[in-house]
Amino acid sequence: MSIQSEKIKQLVERRASACLGGGREKIEAQHSKGKLTARERLALLLDEGSFEEFDMFVQHNCTNFGMDSTHIDGDGVVTGQGTIDGRPVFVFAQDFTVNGGSLSKTMSGKICKVMDMAVKAGAPVIGLNDSGGARIQEGIDALAGYGEIFERNILASGVIPQISGIFGPCAGGAVYSPALTDFTFMVRDKSYMFLTGPSVVKSVTGEEVSQEELGGASVHCSKSGVAHFCAADEKEGIEGIRTLLSFLPQNNLEEAPVKETSDPVSRVSDVLNGIIPDNPNKSYDMYGVISEIVDDANFFEVHRDFAKNVIVGFAHMGGRSVGIVANQPGMLAGVLDINASRKAARFVRFCDAFNIPIVSLVDVPGFLCGTQQEYGAIISNGAKLLYAYGEATVPKVTVTLRKSYGGAHIVMGCKQLRADVNYAWPSAEIAVMGAKGAVGILKDVQEEEYQELFCNPYQAAQKGYIEDVIEPRNTRFRIIRALEYLQGKRQELPAKKHDNLPL
């Protein structure tokens, strides 16, 4: 065998060894927990044959506590570039079979490299997390590594889409990188995120709590709102990432891809003409409205299990991506509270950052009242939503279906927050408050008188606050047509270093 052939043989063998990570025994242990390996996850995520790996032979430099005798190529993370539906993405996947996926300084360097490359190339970056946290043997070097990653998350925010998949533990400082990204996926009974684990919680507070109760997918998808998507298994989570990307542009300078559809733009929906109950206090399901107006009834919801009184998510209308924000009368009468406000505000800001038009479907009786809301800062949280709408320069189309009262009317994409086109259904009630509440304050006014004067869309139409009162069955056509002539919209914000969002 020639020297060249021998070297090629060594390369092939070393690549094969690197692909095994911590070895077959560790891989089997990963599978026994019902978990995929880092490379298996990337194989599902990326188009077949598209993955180009970077830094396969990187090793750590730590000599503490016997670490100088344990060097594994790749050092616990697989990084590289590939495509999803033919579109470039950059990826990193932590490998739990190597030192529990713990973060070293060199692992951080690999992750930071692909993040830098993603920004340069203007392509999304996807991180698949499965790690025991910082590599304790490295001390401050590991902490510095996290800091380097966080800084890149911050600099990339609003420039390229950043998506996190939590497919195992994610604890301590590691949780802040997913928290800084745009969307986070978790897997039920497999994913955990917390700053301090159950044992530390017990020693400090005396509270006994399981991993699932403290930071499982159900907690973060329904209670804290830290995670946006809760998948039944890893395959569902990875498919969700692929689907999410189909609605998004590659970066902040591009538009989202147009999707072919056979759903006619002019399609009318007679169902919508009868969807609003005669009784103004009776609820209905806003999902029914959404499915009638979007292409092929396909709605990709974000934060489905969190703050259900407001609905946010992506759809296509006329083949183009839109972000939908809708009050849900079927949950707490569609009232806005702390969680609903920050959920919707975050979504609106994402859409604005990535050139995705915002369609708002309004049926909101007001903000939730009470000491719990006031003590929890409903004022500043409601202001976040107001700020997000007012700051957004993408095309904004608002349709008021029924109630739009008081301050909640203002924060839900009203004309004064620079909505481009505002429509209302004949059933719309645009007023400071409902008739019953008003007559309790205006003693000499009859409920019927107030109802006739204010609880309709025509006063707003007479004053130019809405462009038109439309027949519900035509809502899809009217929204799409508005978005079509708003495609060339150009609107600039005043020059500033950055804003001061009421956090």
Side-chain angles (χ1 to χ4, degrees):
M1 182 181 292
S2 67
I3 295 176
Q4 181 70 357
S5 297
E6 181 63 28
K7 288 183 176 181
I8 291 173
K9 180 174 179 288
Q10 290 173 359
L11 170 63
V12 171
E13 290 174 350
R14 187 161 178 177
R15 282 188 180 278
S17 177
C19 287
L20 290 176
R24 297 190 185 281
E25 189 174 318
K26 294 286 182 67
I27 291 173
E28 289 174 6
Q30 183 85 341
H31 288 162
S32 70
K33 299 173 186 174
K35 295 167 61 178
L36 300 175
T37 66
R39 294 179 184 278
E40 289 168 341
R41 290 164 180 157
L42 290 177
L44 285 175
L45 176 67
L46 302 172
D47 296 339
E48 186 175 356
S50 70
F51 183 50
E52 295 285 340
E53 186 168 352
F54 306 145
D55 294 332
M56 175 182 271
F57 304 122
V58 164
Q59 296 182 353
H60 70 77
N61 301 312
C62 181
T63 59
N64 302 327
F65 306 106
M67 288 297 292
D68 53 341
S69 62
T70 58
H71 289 91
I72 297 176
D73 284 340
D75 200 32
V77 66
V78 183
T79 62
Q81 183 272 333
T83 63
I84 293 178
D85 293 331
R87 302 165 68 203
V89 296
F90 288 80
V91 294
F92 65 87
Q94 292 174 324
D95 186 351
F96 196 81
T97 70
V98 179
N99 295 310
S102 59
L103 187 113
S104 66
K105 188 69 166 67
T106 51
M107 181 197 284
S108 166
K110 288 182 64 174
I111 293 171
C112 289
K113 181 188 282 190
V114 294
M115 295 178 76
D116 290 341
M117 294 175 77
V119 173
K120 285 181 183 178
V125 63
I126 303 164
L128 305 182
N129 296 262
D130 188 1
S131 169
R135 194 168 296 175
I136 298 172
Q137 296 93 328
E138 293 202 11
I140 188 64
D141 273 348
L143 297 182
Y146 275 127
E148 294 283 358
I149 294 171
F150 302 160
E151 178 66 9
R152 282 162 176 80
N153 287 133
I154 294 164
L155 295 177
S157 183
V159 179
I160 56 172
Q162 300 181 79
I163 300 172
S164 297
I166 313 299
F167 292 147
C170 185
V175 300
Y176 286 116
S177 181
L180 290 167
T181 62
D182 298 307
F183 298 102
T184 298
F185 289 75
M186 295 185 74
V187 178
R188 196 173 291 114
D189 300 323
K190 294 288 188 300
S191 302
Y192 306 100
M193 295 178 73
F194 35 65
L195 283 171
T196 52
S199 59
V200 176
V201 170
K202 183 177 181 180
S203 66
V204 173
T205 69
E207 182 182 9
E208 292 194 19
V209 62
S210 69
Q211 280 191 327
E212 183 65 32
E213 293 168 331
L214 182 63
S218 59
V219 169
H220 288 310
C221 288
S222 64
K223 294 182 179 180
S224 73
V226 167
H228 303 80
F229 302 94
C230 182
D233 55 37
E234 291 186 30
K235 290 183 180 180
E236 182 180 296
I238 289 169
E239 187 58 38
I241 294 173
R242 290 178 61 95
T243 302
L244 171 61
L245 283 170
S246 71
F247 293 97
L248 310 184
Q250 289 291 91
N251 55 64
N252 65 329
L253 299 179
E254 296 186 10
E255 304 291 330
V258 176
K259 182 181 180 182
E260 291 291 329
T261 178
S262 58
D263 196 349
V265 169
S266 59
R267 173 175 55 80
V268 298
S269 174
D270 291 323
V271 172
L272 296 183
N273 275 10
I275 202 167
I276 301 293
D278 291 335
N279 182 346
N281 296 319
K282 189 174 180 181
S283 68
Y284 62 95
D285 191 353
M286 186 63 78
Y287 290 109
V289 177
I290 295 170
S291 65
E292 288 294 322
I293 66 173
V294 302
D295 291 354
D296 307 305
N298 183 22
F299 178 56
F300 187 72
E301 189 171 4
V302 176
H303 260 151
R304 180 182 60 197
D305 299 321
F306 177 68
K308 294 183 178 183
N309 37 325
V310 71
I311 300 168
V312 301
F314 297 104
H316 290 99
M317 297 190 73
R320 298 184 181 276
S321 288
V322 298
I324 291 179
V325 181
N327 308 112
Q328 171 57 302
M331 178 62 65
L332 298 175
V335 70
L336 287 171
D337 59 6
I338 291 169
N339 286 343
S341 296
R342 62 188 183 94
K343 166 183 171 177
R346 171 83 170 175
F347 183 76
V348 167
R349 283 172 65 84
F350 176 85
C351 290
D352 185 51
F354 290 100
N355 311 312
I356 299 172
I358 299 163
V359 175
S360 304
L361 304 175
V362 181
D363 189 345
V364 60
F367 282 95
L368 187 60
C369 60
T371 56
Q372 184 179 5
Q373 290 293 305
E374 296 294 353
Y375 296 169
I378 182 62
I379 295 172
S380 58
N381 280 282
K384 292 174 187 175
L385 182 54
L386 185 157
Y387 199 109
Y389 268 111
E391 181 188 42
T393 60
V394 292
K396 295 179 287 190
V397 178
T398 299
V399 183
T400 301
L401 281 58
R402 188 169 62 173
K403 298 174 183 176
S404 185
Y405 293 160
H409 160 74
I410 298 171
V411 307
M412 282 298 300
C414 72
K415 180 61 67 180
Q416 292 68 41
L417 295 184
R418 303 195 300 179
D420 298 291
V421 177
N422 292 67
Y423 294 133
W425 286 5
S427 50
E429 301 178 6
I430 303 172
V432 174
M433 61 179 66
K436 185 170 291 187
V439 298
I441 297 172
L442 305 173
K443 300 299 183 183
D444 296 330
V445 176
Q446 297 298 312
E447 188 170 330
E448 294 79 8
E449 180 185 359
Y450 185 91
Q451 185 84 22
E452 183 177 346
L453 184 60
F454 289 113
C455 294
N456 62 69
Y458 298 105
Q459 189 181 70
Q462 289 166 8
K463 296 178 181 294
Y465 296 146
I466 60 175
E467 272 62 52
D468 198 5
V469 180
I470 64 173
E471 193 174 346
R473 69 198 295 267
N474 295 325
T475 302
R476 168 179 166 81
F477 168 68
R478 298 300 296 271
I479 291 174
I480 294 175
R481 187 163 67 176
L483 292 175
E484 285 176 348
Y485 63 68
L486 287 168
Q487 279 183 45
K489 178 185 176 183
R490 294 292 181 268
Q491 190 173 43
E492 300 294 331
L493 296 172
K496 61 182 82 172
K497 182 177 181 181
H498 60 72
D499 57 44
N500 191 19
L501 177 72
L503 297 173

